[in-house]
Amino acid sequence: MTSKRRVLRTPPPPPPAAPPLLWLAASLALVPLLLFGRSVGFDYVRADDVDLIAGNQTFLADLANAPRVFTRSYFEVDGELSDLETYYRPLVVLSFMLDAQVGGGDPAVYHATNVALHTAVVLLLFGLALRLGAARTPAFVGALLFAVHPLTVQAVCWIVGRNDILLALFALVSLIGLDAALRGGRWGAPLHVAAFALALFTKETGLVLFPACGLLGWRWYGRPHLFRERWRLIGADLAVVALWTVARQLALAGGAGGATPGEQLTVAAANLPQLLVYLGKAVFPVGLNVMPSVDPAGLTLGVVTLGILAWLFRALPGGRRMTVLAWFVLFLLPPLVVPDLPAYEHRAYVPLVGLALGLSQLPALSGAGWARHRPRQLALAVAVVFGVLAFRHAAVFSDALAHWASATRGTAYAPIAHVNVGRILEERGDLGRAATAYRAALAIDPTTPKANNNLGVVMMAQGRDALALPYFEREIEVNPGNAEAHFNVGLHRKVTGRPADGVAHWERAIELNPYFLPAYEQLIEYFRGAGDPARAEAYHARLEQVRQR
C-alpha cells in the first residue's frame, strides 16, 4: 500500500501596498517647484504683463483700490486713456494687487505666485480624482502628467496666464463641492456655489463651468434627474450668473461696442479648426509657440489624437468618456468667438484637467507596485518626456526678447512677432537690428501693422529724415486707421520746417483715436505759435476733457 505525500506550497507574497497618500501628495507638490521654480528669475515678456502690472503699479500698490477691481475693465490702467472695454476679470487683478503689496513691480513675486497656484491646482486635481473613485496610483499618474504637461507652460511662466490657473483652481474646488453635495454633505453646496462665483469673477470662461457641472452630475454620476433633485443648487448657480452679468455690464458700460451674436458665430465657425490643434498638442505637445497658428501638421495631429483618445478611454463607461471629452471641448469654445487671435496654449490649461481626470479612472493604471507594470511605466516615461519638453519651452518666457524672437519662427503670426522684436531692440538703442526686424516683417507681409511706421521712426532716429516719410505714407496706405502714422507724418512735416502741413495729419490722428494725447499737444503748440489762441484753447479744452474721463 502506497501513501501519498502531501506537498506543502508556499503561499504567494501579498501584493505591495499602495504608496502612502502623503508621500504621493508631497511628490506632486515637489514636481512643479522643480520644473518651474526657475521662472522666479524670469522678467516681463511685454505681452500684456507690462501694461497690467509694471505699468499699473499706481493702482495695484494701494489696497484701498481693491473694491474698484469689480467696477472696471480688466485692461483698464490708471493714467492710460482708452475706450476699450473687453474683459472682466476682477479676481485676477486682485491677485496682482496682493502680489504688489509684497514685491511692488518685481516680476519675481508674480512668477512665484503662478508656480504656487499651479502646485495647488495639481494637488486639487489629485484630490478630486480620488473623490471620483480613482485608486491612488492612477490619480497620481493623472495629476503628474498634468503637472508636467508642456501646454501648461504658458499659463505658469507667463504672468498673465494666471487667469487660467485661477480658473482651474476654483473650478476644481467647485467640483469637489458638487461631489460632496451629491453625496449628501452639508458643506458641499455652499462650497460649490462660492467657488463657482469665484471662477466667474476670474474669467468669462468660468460660465462654462455651469453646463460642465451639470454634465458631470448627469453622465458621470448617472443621475439624469439631477436638475430636479438639486433645483436649489441650480437656482443658486443661476443667481450667481445673474449677479456676475449685472456686475460685468456695469463695469464695461461705455466702452467700445463688441461684435453682434451673428458675427461671433461666424468667427467661431472659422476658428473651429483650433479645437483640433489643441487636441493634437494634448497628446503630441510639439511645435509649441507663444503665438500658435493653425497649420496642416497641427490639424493632422489633432485627427490622430482623436483616434488615440477614443482607444485610450474605451475602457471608461460611456457617460464618463463623454464627460471627459466634453470638458476638454467646452472650455475651449468661448475663446473661439474672438477674431484674429492665435490659438494661445494657456487656454488649454483648464481643458487638460478633464483629460487628466479621465486618465485617473483607467483600469489599466490600477493595481499595486510599479515593477512589471507596463502601463504605469509607459506613463512615467511620457511624464519624463513631457517634463523635458516643458523645461525647454519655459526658456522662451525668460524675457521679452527671447519671448518674441521665438514667435518669429513656425507661426503665421511671425510678422507681428518681428515688429515686437524691433520695438524691443529700438528701445534698447540697437536701431540697426530694429530696422532689420521691421524689414523682416515686411518681407513676409508688406501690410504688417506698424512695421512701416516703426521703420520710419528708426530712420528719423538715425537722422535720415528723407527716408522716413515714404514709410509713414506707406503705413497710412496699407493701414489707414493707424493714428500713430498720421501723427508721425505731421511730426515729420514739423521737423522738416513745414508744421502747417502737419495740422491735417494731427487732426486725423485725433479722429482715429480721440485719446491720442500727443496729437492734441502738437496742435496746441502749433496754433499758439501761429497766433491763433482761440483754436489753441479749443484743443486744450478737448485735451482736458479727455484726461478727465
Side-chain angles (χ1 to χ4, degrees), residues 147-401:
V148 301
H149 201 292
L151 279 183
T152 66
V153 170
Q154 190 172 56
V156 179
C157 295
W158 178 41
I159 295 173
V160 182
R162 179 182 301 182
N163 51 34
D164 289 278
I165 306 178
L166 282 173
L167 176 58
L169 188 149
F170 295 134
L172 285 167
V173 174
S174 183
L175 289 178
I176 290 172
L178 177 63
D179 177 77
L182 295 180
R183 295 175 187 272
R186 293 184 178 180
W187 55 271
L191 180 65
H192 162 74
V193 175
F196 175 54
L198 293 173
L200 261 183
F201 283 89
T202 293
K203 190 176 181 179
E204 295 84 348
T205 312
L207 189 61
V208 176
L209 188 58
F210 180 74
C213 285
L215 185 65
L216 182 78
W218 172 37
R219 300 295 291 162
W220 188 283
Y221 292 94
R223 297 170 70 166
H225 304 296
L226 174 68
F227 293 95
R228 188 190 311 164
E229 298 171 6
R230 296 285 173 175
W231 63 270
R232 287 190 178 88
L233 188 62
I234 303 300
D237 284 344
L238 290 175
V240 167
V241 172
L243 173 65
W244 169 80
T245 301
V246 171
R248 183 177 183 275
Q249 290 295 330
L250 291 175
L252 303 185
T260 64
E263 292 170 338
Q264 290 180 332
L265 286 176
T266 301
V267 171
N271 286 337
L272 275 178
Q274 288 186 4
L275 292 178
L276 276 178
V277 174
Y278 285 120
L279 196 63
K281 289 183 179 180
V283 175
F284 302 101
V286 295
L288 302 180
N289 201 294
V290 300
M291 295 187 74
S293 57
V294 176
D295 56 35
L299 294 174
T300 301
L301 289 178
V303 173
V304 172
T305 297
L306 277 175
I308 292 175
L309 292 180
W311 174 83
L312 188 63
F313 292 133
R314 72 191 188 285
L316 294 181
R320 295 193 173 191
R321 184 166 58 248
M322 176 184 175
T323 303
V324 167
L325 297 178
W327 178 282
F328 187 88
V329 173
L330 279 172
F331 280 95
L332 288 172
L333 290 179
L336 296 184
V337 303
V338 183
D340 304 322
L341 279 184
Y344 288 121
E345 290 159 1
H346 66 88
R347 294 176 183 162
Y349 190 90
V350 180
L352 281 176
V353 168
L355 296 185
L357 287 173
L359 286 174
S360 73
Q361 306 295 316
L362 292 179
L365 294 174
S366 298
W370 287 82
R372 299 181 182 178
H373 199 292
R374 291 183 180 178
R376 285 205 289 264
Q377 291 171 349
L378 177 60
L380 183 60
V382 171
V384 171
V385 173
F386 279 7
V388 171
L389 292 175
F391 187 83
R392 293 178 58 185
H393 186 47
V396 306
F397 295 89
S398 59
D399 59 52
L401 190 56

Side-chain angles (χ1 to χ4, degrees), residues 415 419 438 441-442 445 448-456 471 475 479:
V419 169
Y438 295 138
L442 294 172
D445 180 4
T448 302
K450 301 183 180 180
N452 282 292
N453 176 76
N454 292 5
L455 191 51
Y471 286 111
E475 181 72 37
N479 296 300

